[in-house]
Amino acid sequence: MAQFEKQLERLEEISASIKKSDISMEEALGFFEEGIQLAKKMEKDLEKIETKIQVLMNSPVRVEDKPELDLFSLSAN
C-alpha cells in the first residue's frame, strides 16, 4: 500500500507541474507520458486489490474461524 500511496503522490505532483503556466510543451508532454504510465500501473494495482477483496468477501466462513463469544454470554455468572 505504501508504494501505491507514493505513486498517487507522484501523480499529483505531475498534475501540478503540467498546470504551471511557465512549462514548455516538451516538458508537459514528458510529464503527461509519465502520468499516463503511472495511472495505468495504478489501475492494474487497484484491479488486483479489488479481486483480492472479492475473493475474501466470497470466501466461506469456517466454523473454526468464528470467534468464541463465551466471555460475553449473559448466562455466565
Side-chain angles (χ1 to χ4, degrees), residues 4 6-19 23 26-45:
F4 186 85
K6 287 180 183 179
Q7 292 171 341
L8 182 58
E9 186 177 307
R10 177 62 185 147
L11 196 56
E12 290 171 347
E13 290 171 0
I14 290 169
S15 176
S17 295
I18 290 174
K19 292 176 184 177
I23 189 171
E26 188 174 318
E27 286 177 306
L29 182 58
F31 281 129
F32 183 76
E33 283 183 85
E34 182 184 354
I36 291 296
Q37 290 172 354
L38 194 53
K40 286 181 180 180
K41 182 177 181 337
M42 292 172 71
E43 184 176 19
K44 287 180 185 178
D45 291 344

Side-chain angles (χ1 to χ4, degrees), residues 53-61:
I53 289 171
Q54 287 298 322
V55 167
L56 291 171
M57 294 295 292
N58 293 322
S59 295
V61 177

Side-chain angles (χ1 to χ4, degrees), residues 63-76:
V63 174
E64 58 269 14
D65 291 341
K66 291 185 179 179
E68 291 188 30
L69 302 176
D70 291 339
L71 292 174
F72 303 103
S73 174
L74 294 176
S75 63

